[in-house]
Amino acid sequence: MSNHDPSSVDGGAERVVCLLKSPALLKAFALSTLTAPPIGIAYLAGTLRDAGIAFQLVDAVGEAIDQIVPLEFCDGYAIGLTMDEIVQRIDPRADIIGLSCMFSSSWPYDRRLVDKIRARFPEATIVLGGEHATACARYILETSVSVDVCVRGEGEETLLALVQALRARRDLGEIPGLAFRREGKPHFTESRKRIRDIDAIPVPAWEQIPIEKYMAKGLGHGSSSLRSMPLMATRGCPYQCTFCSSPQMWTTRWVARNPSKVVDEMQSYIDRYGAQNFDLYDLTAIIKKDWIVEFGREILRRGMKIEYQLPSGTRSEAIDEEVSELLYRSGCRQMNYAPESGSPATLARIKKKVKLPRLEQSLRGACRHGLKVMVNIILFPDDTGRDVWETFKFMLRCSWLGLHDITFVPYVPYPGAELYDRLVREGRLPPLGEDYFISLLTHSDISSAKSHNPRFSPRQVQFLRLGFLALFYSSSYLFRPQRIFINLRNVIRNTPATRGERTFRLLVERVLRILRRRLLQTGAA
Ligand code: B12
Ligand code: SF4
């Protein structure tokens, strides 16, 4: 246990808060877009900037976007600065060092990183925030002596209150949304209420992030290779799907910004950075039809010639023919729906409140109006052969309807979700620990699979995953043969229009870079 007391920060004038985003970790065959600008710490930095607090931001991915480094603790890679480079870049005046810890799969890396930071900054307060820090605060405080405080949930107000309290040497026990050690044991303050007036949240401090490096390479969360900027139009999600950590992280409060202010922000990025495309990072952007209609009409009213995408997965209820048509006309090009299963029994078990006939109607309309559409499917721990069969039929119907992409992934047990807690109670998951976190990395790797379903072995899961993908794409090429040429052309020219084209291109580029690196190393040896 660390004896470092988070409220004992020295009171000199020249103090700086340092915010860090660690590198993106991956296995060689990870099917994921990994290099996207970090909007979470950009928002936190915006809050510090508007409060007049001196800060520094180190985005380890953006600062070395072409650097790919093998990991020492597992068979994987890190894109971005090396650990030593990150530590060297931290301002020597930093008294509070905040690390964004989003992915549980990154914890083995982040744990080593905070140890290195602690060695160089023995007096600083090290703070962790983000999805992983929220879900695993107790575990982190019990196992990492270098971490002083975890910020749980939405971070802006909590970080500000924390910085002010640390510098004024006030007790942290009064600040909602924290976990820290008290008398050697993890102590949790009450949960913080979500920010009510989200239009008043300061805009992200993109000026502190090497945004041009992402833009020049056309990198982002969506499928476009245009100059893309991240955007958040809403926060939270009102649903409570059992496999999702969002209810614990964001509560079930969904709040949308004023559409006109969102469009103002888009215009500012067009003026400042020459943005051509916007990737919405929202959990569930489209909940209310009135909101999305107002947003689309505002873009059209201003005559903006832009594109935007909804890559995180959205609900279908509010997307009817009128909405799809307006989405396309206002610039939306790619959209992910997240039904997760084609089996009504599974949907009931995971509390995914989706009506499949209504969803298929929405998918048909979206494809008809020109949107590039993807659906996300998960193989759940309690799925039976019958559920897989129902999902298989649903997948074929999606192909027939004209969908462009599908993902079929085995369930990944992320802490913070209701289903995760149940599997732990039933003894179906290993305890939290290095092996467990490293195993999470393998989930996005298509060269192997893990199974949390007793009915399917890892080999069968892998067979299903590859089989579903092969059948979806071969049937969709059979129904629309011209797509083979369109997909190939877009991949070769690097002008992706669909999620599949984008992911395929990134995967090939990454594998080639890894091979080149290995060949160079062999040559050098
Ligand atoms: C955008 C996104 C991505 C982008 C990341 C872009 C980027 N560089 O930031 C990309 C596409 C790269 C991505 C990839 C993956 N993602 Co993702 N992603 C998201 C998504 C949809 C939005 C995140 C976001 O930006 N939210 C908006 C900002 C404002 O919120 P935020 O980052 O959480 O930050 C706030 C707070 O957390 C807090 N905070 C955050 N950091 C800090 C630091 C400090 C010091 C403090 C005080 C506070 C604080 O304050 C912020 C402001 O309120 C989330 C879902 C969600 N939670 O919203 C999933 C999510 C984070 N992703 C997830 C996963 C699993 C993945 C992948 C593993 C998927 C895959 N199989 O490939 C990969 C992993 C990539 C890797 N290995 O590096 C999971 C993580 C679960 C977990 N416990 O690990 C999430 C939660 C989705 C889910 N429920 O399954 N992802
Ligand atoms: S899976 Fe999607 S709809 Fe369900 S709770 Fe999570 S964010 Fe909301």
Side-chain angles (χ1 to χ4, degrees):
M1 250 350 101
S2 162
N3 290 325
H4 178 71
D5 173 3
S7 52
S8 66
V9 178
D10 184 70
E14 291 279 297
R15 289 170 303 180
V16 169
V17 178
C18 173
L19 294 173
L20 298 172
K21 176 87 177 93
S22 54
L25 306 192
L26 65 133
K27 292 275 192 164
F29 293 97
L31 268 193
S32 172
T33 54
L34 291 148
T35 36
I39 200 167
I41 52 166
Y43 262 116
L44 296 170
T47 296
L48 295 180
R49 175 201 56 208
D50 284 16
I53 293 171
F55 70 94
Q56 172 207 18
L57 208 154
V58 180
D59 169 19
V61 178
E63 293 195 18
I65 221 157
D66 292 321
Q67 182 162 280
I68 183 155
V69 188
L71 295 171
E72 56 168 65
F73 56 86
C74 77
D75 163 31
Y77 295 86
I79 301 181
L81 296 174
T82 63
M83 241 182 236
D84 288 333
E85 285 169 341
I86 298 173
V87 179
Q88 275 157 20
R89 282 183 201 216
I90 301 175
D91 191 318
R93 295 168 301 168
D95 63 332
I96 300 170
I97 302 173
L99 175 68
S100 181
C101 211
M102 259 172 125
F103 309 118
S104 296
S105 52
S106 297
W107 177 239
Y109 183 98
D110 290 341
R111 190 175 61 74
R112 288 168 170 80
L113 176 62
V114 286
D115 284 348
K116 282 204 173 210
I117 297 173
R118 169 60 72 223
R120 187 171 159 221
F121 293 88
E123 296 303 320
T125 303
I126 299 184
V127 184
L128 248 58
E131 197 84 29
H132 175 70
T134 302
C136 297
R138 184 175 299 281
Y139 170 83
I140 293 171
L141 292 169
E142 280 174 351
T143 55
S144 173
V145 289
S146 303
V147 177
D148 296 309
V149 184
C150 288
V151 167
R152 291 148 41 223
E154 192 170 40
E156 286 87 346
E157 289 183 347
T158 316
L159 177 65
L160 193 55
L162 177 65
V163 172
Q164 288 164 343
L166 285 170
R167 292 196 171 157
R169 296 165 183 269
R170 279 202 307 271
D171 180 30
L172 303 187
E174 302 297 309
I175 303 174
L178 294 183
F180 54 92
R181 270 183 294 272
R182 184 164 263 177
E183 290 162 11
K185 293 206 170 63
H187 172 81
F188 284 61
T189 61
E190 66 175 292
S191 296
R192 180 173 287 275
K193 292 198 171 56
R194 288 272 313 286
I195 299 174
R196 291 207 81 80
D197 182 7
I198 66 165
D199 283 317
I201 298 175
V203 291
W206 290 119
E207 65 279 7
Q208 299 296 325
I209 284 182
I211 196 75
E212 183 54 32
K213 292 200 186 166
Y214 293 96
M215 290 186 115
K217 287 183 173 289
L219 294 170
H221 181 24
S223 54
S224 170
S225 61
L226 296 173
R227 293 175 62 78
S228 303
M229 279 300 287
L231 197 69
M232 279 189 86
T234 64
R235 280 195 184 192
C237 169
Y239 295 96
Q240 288 178 284
C241 305
T242 62
F243 61 94
C244 180
S245 52
S246 154
Q248 197 200 61
M249 170 76 200
W250 294 99
T251 75
T252 49
R253 195 160 176 267
W254 178 85
V255 220
R257 292 169 59 191
N258 178 334
S260 160
K261 294 205 165 141
V262 180
V263 181
D264 285 347
E265 189 183 333
M266 291 162 88
Q267 185 60 52
S268 76
Y269 298 148
I270 298 171
D271 300 340
R272 251 198 292 166
Y273 304 116
Q276 300 164 316
N277 174 65
F278 298 89
D279 295 327
L280 274 81
Y281 280 40
D282 304 41
L283 272 174
T284 334
I286 305 183
I287 294 278
K288 285 200 179 128
K289 181 172 171 177
D290 292 354
W291 187 90
I292 193 72
V293 167
E294 210 181 321
F295 175 67
R297 288 197 180 138
E298 186 63 22
I299 293 174
L300 290 173
R301 195 184 63 73
R302 299 195 197 186
M304 291 161 80
K305 298 277 174 277
I306 45 102
E307 293 188 5
Y308 63 96
Q309 329 222 357
L310 302 168
S312 298
T314 192
R315 307 279 312 187
S316 52
E317 292 77 359
I319 310 173
D320 55 19
E321 291 271 345
E322 183 197 353
V323 171
S324 289
E325 191 268 338
L326 179 67
L327 280 171
Y328 189 83
R329 230 167 8 106
S330 60
C332 184
R333 290 294 175 267
Q334 199 269 332
M335 187 156 70
N336 284 11
Y337 286 74
E340 325 294 0
S341 176
S343 159
T346 301
L347 292 175
R349 271 197 302 271
I350 61 168
K351 300 190 194 160
K352 188 99 209 181
K353 306 216 177 303
V354 168
K355 299 263 180 293
L356 290 172
R358 172 75 194 80
L359 168 81
E360 286 174 34
Q361 211 182 334
S362 177
L363 293 171
R364 188 182 291 113
C367 291
R368 189 162 44 227
H369 289 291
L371 291 156
K372 303 286 187 262
V373 180
M374 172 161 127
V375 292
N376 301 338
I377 302 286
I378 297 175
L379 176 71
F380 286 97
D382 298 314
D383 276 355
T384 61
R386 191 186 174 83
D387 296 318
V388 174
W389 173 242
E390 292 292 329
T391 301
F392 176 76
K393 290 191 295 184
F394 170 72
M395 180 271 285
L396 283 183
R397 291 199 298 276
C398 285
S399 169
W400 172 249
L401 288 173
L403 258 74
H404 301 79
D405 291 300
I406 196 160
T407 58
F408 182 88
V409 291
Y411 164 74
V412 187
Y414 287 114
E418 185 186 326
L419 182 54
Y420 171 89
D421 290 341
R422 203 196 87 205
L423 295 180
V424 169
R425 278 199 309 276
E426 292 174 0
R428 290 165 68 181
L429 285 177
L432 290 182
E434 180 100 340
D435 291 347
Y436 170 74
F437 294 122
I438 290 175
S439 80
L440 296 177
L441 257 192
T442 60
H443 282 280
S444 53
D445 184 65
I446 45 156
S447 64
S448 64
K450 290 186 84 64
S451 176
H452 294 286
N453 185 322
R455 294 182 182 88
F456 301 97
S457 68
R459 277 174 83 96
Q460 287 168 324
V461 169
Q462 181 68 340
F463 175 77
L464 282 174
R465 166 151 77 179
L466 298 178
F468 260 69
L469 289 179
L471 282 167
F472 174 82
Y473 284 101
S474 52
S475 60
S476 82
Y477 289 143
L478 199 71
F479 300 139
R480 293 167 185 81
Q482 72 281 12
R483 276 207 188 157
I484 301 180
F485 304 104
I486 299 173
N487 286 166
L488 272 175
R489 186 198 61 200
N490 290 350
V491 169
I492 292 166
R493 290 186 184 165
N494 196 16
T495 51
T498 67
R499 191 76 175 171
E501 289 168 1
R502 166 79 158 181
T503 310
F504 184 72
R505 167 100 194 183
L506 287 175
L507 178 68
V508 172
E509 279 177 3
R510 188 188 318 133
V511 171
L512 287 177
R513 272 165 63 197
I514 290 172
L515 282 176
R516 192 169 152 263
R517 198 193 147 90
R518 284 196 185 156
L519 280 173
L520 286 174
Q521 273 171 346
T522 320

